[in-house]
Amino acid sequence: MSVEVTKLPSGLTVITDTMPHLQTAALGVWAGVGGRDEKPSEHGISHLLEHMAFKGTTRRSSREIVEEIEAVGGDLNAGTSTETTAYYARVMKADVPLALDVLSDILTNPSFVPDELEREKGVIVQEIGAAQDTPDDVVFEHLNELCYPDQPMGRSLLGTAKTLKSFDRDMLRGYLSTHYRGPDMVVAAAGAVDHRRVVDEVTQRFASLDGTPAPKPEPAMFGKGGSRVVHRELEQAHLTLALEGVPQTDLSLFSLQVFSNILGGGMSSRLFQEVREKRGLCYSIYAFHAPYVDTGFFGLYTGTDPGDAPEMMEVIVDVINEAVETLTETEIARAKAQMKAGLLMALESCSSRAEQLARHILAYGRPLAVEELVARIDAVSVETTRNAARALMSRSRPAVVALGSGRGLDTAVAFAEGLTKSKAKERLH
């Protein structure tokens, strides 16, 4: 087996997958901290910290950080999500030690120069403005607030101009010290890597990590549902709907993922075929399920002409209700094939593989073998998928947000609010 795992005395996990046919490597540091770990006064600090990681250390200036990686043809990037923050690089085989040195430097020796900090705050304020100009972002921001009211998970990852203004270097250092700890971090590498050498490098370069676990975030509580209409002068009406899903480790996860795929996962999905191909009501429509540590988020999005919004939502509700009870073997087989293809295709990319391994460690505490994942997908049946769909419909009231102009939006959200009062739900009782 090419996957090897070593846990260091600090609790930091090192996991690698050697891919001998490659001459490049993808590697990174994944920390189990994100937007949901923030207190109200820290709103947006996870994302700011990720930005500041590249703005200089006690050994390198911000320019030297990128120049050293780009001088060897590599690239460096990072990303913040609800539950994780990742810092990663892609380099040639010989430059793996350099990449690990740079990654460890930005996380263990950040300088947080005040001038750089103020400049980066301004950059993020511009990012917030750009998001507010993007209807897709705005409508999901409102949907998250409705699904997770008065909770970190319901807030934007970017923070606000007000919270950003309050952050200083001491707050950043405190947040880094509190949440970036060995037991909650993973160094993952895939491609042209040697496990023993990676372990030796990581042991040396991350020796200063605290070995006590970081504090756990507050449990997520999916809200009571309901609706919100946000009026804006836009060409399209943007419609979203959410239901409480299941956590990452729930036994019904793969069945629910299959249902989401059948419903709105591609061009062959029921929603795409009925709403776009048959009725021509939209350009884009999709459904998805995002699992977290202790909750899940089933979401649906579409954009349509404001005048068509009521019909659109009525059709969506009908399609969902019908799908719960009329799933077919052919649809299940197609969705499972798509999931397996996506899984196996990801194995051909060292970047995707490194990320997958890191996420497995953070979610399950161990890497899941490809054979195990395929077996879980293969175990999905019409019966398990219907049961997962019925449970989804009965678990919560829908949260619905419409963004745009026109009088039809109120009618549209009223249709969506009736989703879980359907006959499909009644059959549970």
Side-chain angles (χ1 to χ4, degrees):
M1 185 176 179
S2 59
V3 176
E4 296 183 75
V5 183
T6 298
K7 180 164 281 194
L8 303 183
S10 66
L12 176 68
T13 299
V14 180
I15 183 166
T16 65
D17 187 359
T18 303
M19 304 163 78
H21 60 288
L22 297 184
Q23 295 299 313
T24 63
L27 61 156
V29 183
W30 277 260
V33 56
R36 71 173 300 180
D37 295 272
E38 298 168 353
K39 300 172 184 175
S41 61
E42 297 171 332
H43 181 199
I45 198 170
S46 300
H47 179 249
L48 175 61
L49 182 60
E50 172 232 308
H51 273 238
M52 288 303 299
F54 299 102
K55 295 304 174 181
T57 72
T58 56
R59 294 169 48 203
R60 295 175 171 95
S61 67
S62 58
R63 182 167 183 169
E64 288 171 336
I65 289 171
V66 294
E67 283 186 345
E68 285 192 39
I69 291 293
E70 292 184 357
V72 296
D75 60 76
L76 194 64
N77 214 327
T80 308
S81 69
T82 302
E83 295 185 323
T84 62
T85 307
Y87 306 81
Y88 44 90
R90 180 80 183 267
V91 292
M92 299 294 288
K93 178 180 180 179
D95 301 310
V96 168
L98 170 65
L100 286 170
D101 184 50
V102 170
L103 289 170
S104 65
D105 193 24
I106 65 177
L107 289 174
T108 61
N109 305 305
S111 56
F112 300 139
V113 176
D115 287 348
E116 289 280 8
L117 177 55
E118 293 306 311
R119 191 176 299 115
E120 206 58 29
K121 287 182 187 180
V123 170
I124 296 176
V125 169
Q126 297 300 317
E127 190 177 353
I128 293 171
Q132 290 301 309
D133 287 340
T134 308
D136 299 21
D137 290 344
V138 174
V139 75
F140 273 107
E141 190 172 308
H142 282 281
L143 187 65
N144 282 330
E145 288 178 2
L146 200 56
C147 291
Y148 300 102
D150 302 315
Q151 299 171 67
M153 289 190 67
R155 298 194 293 257
S156 162
L157 291 171
L158 301 180
T160 67
K162 182 179 179 180
T163 56
L164 285 168
K165 186 178 180 180
S166 70
F167 299 148
D168 57 28
R169 64 193 304 184
D170 289 336
M171 287 187 71
L172 286 173
R173 288 190 190 283
Y175 193 78
L176 180 68
S177 173
T178 299
H179 295 284
Y180 282 67
R181 297 187 174 184
D184 304 283
M185 295 174 67
V186 179
V187 174
V193 294
D194 177 89
H195 182 75
R196 189 69 258 163
R197 290 180 181 176
V198 172
V199 169
D200 289 343
E201 293 280 349
V202 172
T203 301
Q204 174 190 344
R205 302 186 189 286
F206 289 87
S208 62
L209 281 183
D210 192 313
T212 57
K216 299 298 181 186
E218 64 180 70
M221 297 293 292
F222 198 88
K224 298 179 180 179
S227 62
R228 183 179 298 179
V229 176
V230 184
H231 293 284
R232 274 201 185 185
E233 288 299 322
L234 299 170
E235 290 296 318
Q236 275 204 317
H238 298 265
L239 308 174
T240 57
L241 180 151
L243 293 164
E244 183 179 5
V246 298
Q248 184 76 49
T249 55
D250 193 278
L251 295 177
S252 69
L253 174 64
F254 284 77
S255 294
L256 184 53
Q257 301 283 38
V258 165
F259 176 70
S260 301
N261 190 300
I262 291 170
L263 194 62
M267 294 175 66
S268 63
S269 68
R270 290 198 178 195
L271 284 170
F272 192 93
Q273 286 296 313
E274 181 66 28
V275 176
R276 173 173 163 157
E277 298 298 277
K278 183 177 177 180
R279 298 174 184 261
L281 288 173
C282 70
Y283 173 74
S284 173
I285 185 167
Y286 59 87
F288 63 93
H289 177 259
Y292 298 106
V293 170
D294 56 355
T295 186
F297 183 95
F298 171 87
L300 182 150
Y301 165 85
T302 189
T304 190
D305 184 275
D308 291 331
E311 180 187 358
M312 166 69 88
M313 194 59 83
E314 188 174 16
V315 173
I316 286 172
V317 168
D318 287 344
V319 170
I320 295 174
N321 287 337
E322 183 180 2
V324 173
E325 298 300 329
T326 62
L327 296 167
T328 67
E329 292 281 2
T330 300
E331 288 176 313
I332 299 290
R334 182 168 61 236
K336 288 164 64 173
Q338 289 173 333
M339 289 175 67
K340 285 190 282 190
L343 170 66
L344 297 174
M345 288 176 185
L347 297 180
E348 298 177 1
S349 162
C350 58
S351 296
S352 297
R353 183 58 171 154
E355 179 178 4
Q356 182 189 69
L357 291 172
R359 293 191 181 281
H360 282 181
I361 294 293
L362 291 173
Y364 304 106
R366 65 181 180 88
L368 302 187
V370 177
E371 295 78 12
E372 182 178 353
L373 291 168
V374 170
R376 291 191 182 190
I377 296 172
D378 284 337
V380 175
S381 65
V382 170
E383 182 181 6
T384 65
T385 305
R386 285 181 181 168
N387 288 340
R390 290 167 181 157
L392 175 71
M393 301 290 281
S394 64
R395 193 176 293 115
S396 68
R397 287 182 60 214
V400 191
V401 176
L403 172 71
S405 60
R407 290 176 293 179
L409 299 190
D410 292 289
T411 306
V413 298
F415 278 129
E417 281 192 284
L419 173 64
T420 53
K421 298 174 183 177
S422 66
K423 293 179 181 178
K425 181 184 177 184
E426 290 169 8
R427 292 193 186 103
L428 287 168
H429 305 290

